[in-house]
Amino acid sequence: MIPDSAAAFPVTVDVVALTVRDGALQVLLVDRLLEPFRGTRALPGGFVLPDESLEDAAARELAEETGVVAPSGNGPGPGHPWHLEQLRTYGPQGRDPRGPVLSVAYLLLAPAFGLPAPGGDAAEAAWFPVPDAEEPGPAGTAPLGALAFDHDRILADGVERARAKLEYSPLATAFCADEFTIGELRAVYEAVWGTHLDARNFHRKATGTPGFLEATGRLRAEGPGRPAELYRLAPSVDPAAAVLHPPLLRPPATPAPPT
Amino acid sequence: MIPDSAAAFPVTVDVVALTVRDGALQVLLVDRLLEPFRGTRALPGGFVLPDESLEDAAARELAEETGVVAPSGNGPGPGHPWHLEQLRTYGPQGRDPRGPVLSVAYLLLAPAFGLPAPGGDAAEAAWFPVPDAEEPGPAGTAPLGALAFDHDRILADGVERARAKLEYSPLATAFCADEFTIGELRAVYEAVWGTHLDARNFHRKATGTPGFLEATGRLRAEGPGRPAELYRLAPSVDPAAAVLHPPLLRPPATPAPPT
DNA sequence: GATGTTGTCGTCAGGATGACGATATCCAGG
DNA sequence: CCTGGATATCGTCATCCTGACGACAACATC
């Protein structure tokens, strides 16, 4: 019933897993153990199995290659702050030396987590800071820029999607634990956007946006400074679908003052 | 080299082709000539050929089933106001009775155009108004809601993407001819969003947003009323990538006054 | 000419934003 | 104990953006 002219393509999923660690946006990369691109860094991913959904495949490959168990589907409110969404699909031609291969990329936003046990087709899964697009840094500084396949482009698309989503969705909370302070949330925005935000204005906007945050009433003291109030994502909010009104807009490109 | 556990999937492209006609957002649908879903309305689309890119396949299927020649890739500035972008990919399981099939959906935004010659696997390509999501209308009124496969969901995703894109991108011009009036542009926004916009405020925002419109200096008189100035999309602007600052935001949901 | 229609420019109040001062509450060290 | 540094939170103020709406210009039709 399916016409003969229709071709069947091998399909892979590749996961752009982002987190915020040490005040910087970081991406999860693996070292490829197999050809092609053996020894090259790449996004975790692999072939979709016959009876699998795309999302299940993304979660499975992430688990196999990094030991990380991602929830398939959106986590049940608090307890699963992770967010997994489809990014886009990269066409079958000219991206794999073995022949035409379709790749469906997924974007995972998660709090920083450890990397228990790499395995499968990859070794040495580790986090790498994502260099600012505007500031590629001096030669040799950027640890990225030479990924396998077309993963450089997929990573760039994923980072741009994440940056844009923080503006109009509550997904910044996907990088935080269940409960967090406004300062931690601001640090997420600053790390993902690579900008500096005024703490006072950010506090006013974040707490003043309806349907975003909910105060727990408890405090948390950590290090110096006045203890901060703990917040959580407002209940009955689907962080994948909710829209912030008004949005938190990125400050327009700040031209660095000439030194 | 590709592992045996990797499955190969037939891949289709489906096109959500939207336009604005008669003051309403309309979608291009075909009547399926072949099983499955023979006789049911569906989005134009079909299987990807072995040596084809996804975008080429989308353009080809659109041409085959509707006689419409869409540009592959982004048109060269003025002369090709059409816009074709990838929407998302719908997983292989449970969407085609013939078995697992991957579908990559594309979104086409275009000015109203005629439908020269349906052919291929479809007949009777025609435009159908997209009902407002909020107002499904009385039973039997909505011409949609029973499309083949999972095309209802794909259409809903495409419409939502189009509505969101008008806010922060210059893509509303993709529904217009090369040169257009502010009134025509406003009619596009009103049709896509299903709302009413104040003509004076819209004029101020549209002409006041940098990097959006460029006045041609010429006028056009059509019907009654003062002739309107003709504008075109600002040159050296990639409508697919440009971002409007500030964005044109949809008015928040207008609760219908109780009658 | 009167009237209706569409386009363009102004006005004005209210809300949102960015810059920044002021205060609260902690830690560290004299 | 007291001071200084650090973080959190609250206020103030000028500016910009927005929505609501008045005013006028330039057309068609009667």
Side-chain angles (χ1 to χ4, degrees), chain B:
Chain B
M1 298 172 67
I2 292 182
D4 293 339
S5 59
F9 298 93
V11 177
T12 66
V13 291
D14 293 305
V15 180
V16 179
L18 300 178
T19 196
V20 172
R21 281 167 32 122
D22 309 325
L25 183 64
Q26 307 208 347
V27 60
L28 187 59
L29 299 178
V30 302
D31 267 351
R32 287 184 58 82
L33 284 179
L34 302 178
E35 293 293 348
F37 294 102
R38 181 171 159 184
T40 307
R41 273 201 272 270
L43 299 172
F47 287 96
V48 177
L49 304 182
D51 293 325
E52 226 175 6
S53 76
L54 294 173
E55 210 161 301
D56 288 345
R60 176 181 54 77
E61 287 290 345
L62 198 67
E64 282 181 13
E65 299 195 345
T66 70
V68 168
V69 177
S72 76
N74 292 326
H80 264 321
W82 283 356
H83 170 78
L84 182 66
E85 73 173 42
Q86 193 183 109
L87 185 55
R88 69 162 287 162
T89 296
Y90 297 84
Q93 308 301 335
R95 51 177 306 279
D96 191 315
R98 293 169 289 186
V101 171
L102 214 64
S103 175
V104 184
Y106 275 79
L107 179 64
L108 176 78
L109 310 182
F113 50 80
L115 302 172
D121 306 345
E124 247 195 281
W127 296 104
F128 294 86
V130 174
D132 282 359
E134 284 73 22
E135 200 173 338
T141 302
L144 306 179
L147 303 183
F149 305 106
D150 51 356
H151 288 189
D152 282 316
R153 186 188 162 194
I154 298 178
L155 172 60
D157 288 348
V159 169
E160 178 49 35
R161 170 83 67 94
R163 287 184 171 142
K165 277 233 154 186
L166 289 209
E167 291 192 333
Y168 55 88
S169 83
L171 278 177
T173 60
F175 290 111
C176 298
D178 282 355
E179 300 190 345
F180 47 86
T181 69
I182 302 290
E184 289 168 354
L185 189 65
R186 177 169 50 87
V188 166
Y189 276 88
E190 291 180 335
V192 175
W193 287 346
T195 60
H196 172 74
L197 300 175
D198 184 90
R200 299 155 292 190
N201 292 336
F202 182 87
H203 188 278
R204 178 184 49 186
K205 276 209 74 165
T207 57
T209 299
F212 188 14
L213 302 182
E214 186 195 46
T216 66
R218 266 166 299 130
L219 300 178
R220 180 201 292 167
E222 196 164 351
R226 171 175 168 179
E229 218 170 336
L230 280 172
Y231 287 82
R232 72 169 74 92
L233 185 62
S236 74
V237 167
D238 177 7
V243 174
L244 291 188
H245 255 341
L248 274 150
L249 293 180
R250 282 178 269 190
T254 314
T259 18

Side-chain angles (χ1 to χ4, degrees), chain A:
Chain A
M1 298 172 68
I2 291 183
D4 294 337
S5 59
F9 298 93
V11 177
T12 67
V13 290
D14 293 307
V15 180
V16 179
L18 299 178
T19 196
V20 172
R21 280 166 34 121
D22 308 326
L25 182 65
Q26 307 208 347
V27 60
L28 187 59
L29 299 178
V30 302
D31 267 350
R32 287 183 59 82
L33 284 179
L34 302 178
E35 294 291 349
F37 295 101
R38 181 169 158 188
T40 308
R41 273 200 272 268
L43 299 172
F47 288 95
V48 177
L49 303 181
D51 292 324
E52 225 174 7
S53 76
L54 294 173
E55 210 161 302
D56 288 345
R60 177 181 53 77
E61 288 289 344
L62 198 68
E64 283 182 11
E65 299 195 344
T66 69
V68 167
V69 178
S72 74
N74 292 326
H80 264 320
W82 284 357
H83 170 76
L84 182 66
E85 73 174 39
Q86 193 184 110
L87 185 55
R88 69 161 287 161
T89 296
Y90 297 85
Q93 308 302 333
R95 53 176 306 278
D96 190 317
R98 293 169 289 188
V101 172
L102 214 65
S103 174
V104 184
Y106 274 79
L107 179 64
L108 177 78
L109 310 183
F113 51 78
L115 302 172
D121 306 344
E124 247 194 279
W127 295 105
F128 293 87
V130 174
D132 283 358
E134 286 74 21
E135 200 174 339
T141 302
L144 306 179
L147 303 183
F149 304 105
D150 51 355
H151 288 188
D152 283 315
R153 186 188 164 194
I154 298 177
L155 172 59
D157 288 348
V159 169
E160 177 49 35
R161 170 83 65 95
R163 288 185 172 141
K165 277 233 156 186
L166 289 208
E167 292 193 333
Y168 55 89
S169 84
L171 278 177
T173 60
F175 290 111
C176 299
D178 282 355
E179 300 189 344
F180 48 86
T181 68
I182 302 291
E184 290 168 353
L185 189 65
R186 178 169 49 87
V188 166
Y189 276 89
E190 291 181 335
V192 175
W193 287 346
T195 61
H196 171 76
L197 300 175
D198 183 271
R200 298 156 291 188
N201 291 336
F202 182 87
H203 188 279
R204 178 186 45 185
K205 276 210 73 164
T207 57
T209 300
F212 188 15
L213 302 181
E214 186 195 48
T216 66
R218 266 165 300 130
L219 300 179
R220 180 202 293 169
E222 195 163 352
R226 171 174 168 179
E229 219 170 338
L230 280 172
Y231 287 82
R232 72 168 73 92
L233 185 62
S236 75
V237 166
D238 177 7
V243 175
L244 292 188
H245 253 341
L248 275 148
L249 293 181
R250 282 177 269 190
T254 313
T259 15

